[in-house]
């Protein structure tokens, strides 16, 4: 009886290439370049290395500058917030009121106005005015005093926008609930008005109402209880009218406006 032969028993096993599916190759005319991944991310091309370093340094500087600006803005915000809170507390505690200023008397010792001047004259005379002004300052506050500084102060008289004479505000301390009356002398030299202003001044002298402007700028320090502020500027603008140009002139009308510049000194 013949032996049976089973096909495939003695045949060699199939290889992996024969069992795995065949991958399609690249299309004709194309090339595949394989580069290690670490070289792509860690090593820029030589022509871009310098540019990469420049951009990296710029980015670090930008971050540092942003952090610095954030700190500065935060500090300024906290400072403004603190000052606002402190100002609110001071206002609630002391209830500050503006000081009232009044021009009580204006004595014109010298002016140089020629009452016989004619309207057709070509030139106006050169004047050297001298004014003595009495000012009344009333402090209505119950817990606030004011230190006036004479140094750096300016008191000036003008007519029709032309400065006539100037002087200084005396230095003194005005306590709470106090009324202080003082005099200041102002002198000017070489003043010449325009022809129209000069003739207008002559006409107003005849009517008995001559308007002048009185401007005061005084550096002061305000005292809240036992605390003194920094030096601020008080500006007072007054519209004053007198009946004549003489030593015995009387004030016909006066109105003063007060402004305080807390961040500006003279």
């Amino acid at each position: 009886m013949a032996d049976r032969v089973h096909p495939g028993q003695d045949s060699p096993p199939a290889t992996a290439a024969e069992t795995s599916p065949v991958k399609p190759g690249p299309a004709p005319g194309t090339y595949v370049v394989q580069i290690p991944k670490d070289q792509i991310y860690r090593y820029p091309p030589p022509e871009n290395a310098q540019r990469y370093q420049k951009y990296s340094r710029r980015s670090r500087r930008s971050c540092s500058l942003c952090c610095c600006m954030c700190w500065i803005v935060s500090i300024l915000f906290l400072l403004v917030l603190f000052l606002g809170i402190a100002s609110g507390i001071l206002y609630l505690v002391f209830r500050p009121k503006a000081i009232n200023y009044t021009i009580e008397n204006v004595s014109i010792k010298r002016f140089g106005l020629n009452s016989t001047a004619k309207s057709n004259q070509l030139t106006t005379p050169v004047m050297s005015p001298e004014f003595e002004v009495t000012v009344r300052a009333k402090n209505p506050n119950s817990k606030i005093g004011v230190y006036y500084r004479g140094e750096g102060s300016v008191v000036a008289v003008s007519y029709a926008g032309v400065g006539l004479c100037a002087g200084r505000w005396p230095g003194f301390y005005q306590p709470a609930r106090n009324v202080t009356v003082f005099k200041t002398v102002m002198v000017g030299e070489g003043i010449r008005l325009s022809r129209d202003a000069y003739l207008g001044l002559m006409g107003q002298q005849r009517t008995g109402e001559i308007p002048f402007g009185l401007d005061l700028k005084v550096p002061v320090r305000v005292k809240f209880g036992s605390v003194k502020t920094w030096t601020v500027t008080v500006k007072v603008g007054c519209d004053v009218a007198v009946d004549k140009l003489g030593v015995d002139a009387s004030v016909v009308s006066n109105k003063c406006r007060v402004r305080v510049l807390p961040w500006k000194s003279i």
Side-chain angles (χ1 to χ4, degrees):
M1 186 176 182
D3 295 333
R4 294 182 180 179
V5 179
H6 298 279
Q9 291 182 353
D10 297 332
S11 59
T15 62
E18 294 176 352
T19 58
S20 61
V22 179
K23 296 181 179 180
T30 61
Y31 298 92
V32 177
V33 180
Q34 295 183 354
I35 301 176
K37 187 181 295 184
D38 57 349
Q39 293 185 9
I40 294 177
Y41 291 97
R42 297 182 183 179
Y43 303 100
E47 63 272 12
N48 295 335
Q50 187 175 2
R51 183 181 301 175
Y52 170 78
Q53 294 177 359
K54 182 176 68 175
Y55 288 162
S56 298
R57 290 194 297 267
R58 183 181 300 175
S59 177
R60 289 192 294 269
R61 287 197 300 266
S62 300
C63 292
S64 301
L65 181 61
C66 289
C67 293
C68 183
M69 290 299 297
C70 289
W71 275 103
I72 293 175
V73 171
S74 300
I75 293 173
L76 290 177
F77 175 78
L78 293 176
L79 181 60
V80 171
L81 181 62
F82 173 76
L83 291 177
I85 294 174
S87 300
I89 294 174
L90 288 176
Y91 179 81
L92 293 175
V93 172
F94 294 98
R95 299 287 183 176
K97 300 177 183 178
I99 296 178
N100 180 264
Y101 299 95
T102 307
I103 308 301
E104 290 198 337
N105 185 47
V106 177
S107 177
I108 303 174
K109 298 182 177 180
R110 186 175 69 244
F111 197 89
L113 181 64
N114 184 6
S115 59
T116 61
K118 298 180 180 180
S119 60
N120 59 355
Q121 68 181 39
L122 298 178
T123 60
T124 58
V126 177
M127 301 177 295
S128 299
E130 181 178 348
F131 283 58
E132 183 180 89
V133 178
T134 304
V135 182
R136 180 178 184 268
K138 179 182 179 181
N139 182 5
N141 298 281
S142 59
K143 300 179 181 179
I144 300 175
V146 181
Y147 290 90
Y148 294 96
R149 291 175 50 189
E151 182 181 357
S153 63
V154 178
V155 184
V157 173
S158 61
Y159 174 79
V162 179
L164 299 178
C165 51
R168 293 177 58 180
W169 183 288
F172 61 93
Y173 172 70
Q174 185 175 21
R177 295 191 180 278
N178 172 266
V179 176
T180 300
V181 179
F182 60 92
K183 295 181 180 181
T184 179
V185 177
M186 292 163 285
V187 179
E189 293 183 0
I191 308 300
R192 186 190 296 273
L193 296 175
S194 65
R195 180 173 175 272
D196 292 339
Y198 186 79
L199 296 177
L201 183 61
M202 292 176 58
Q204 290 166 345
Q205 186 182 22
R206 287 191 292 268
T207 61
E209 188 172 352
I210 308 168
F212 292 101
L214 181 65
D215 295 311
L216 305 92
K217 291 193 296 185
V218 188
V220 304
R221 295 185 67 184
V222 183
K223 182 181 179 182
F224 293 91
S226 59
V227 179
K228 297 179 184 179
T229 66
W230 57 90
T231 301
V232 301
T233 299
V234 172
K235 298 182 68 175
V236 182
C238 300
D239 298 323
V240 187
V242 297
D243 60 346
K244 58 183 176 180
L245 300 175
V247 178
D248 56 345
S250 299
V251 176
V252 177
S253 65
N254 75 92
K255 183 179 180 180
C256 297
R257 303 166 302 277
V258 181
R259 290 178 56 197
V260 179
L261 306 180
W263 305 111
K264 182 180 180 181
S265 60
I266 298 178

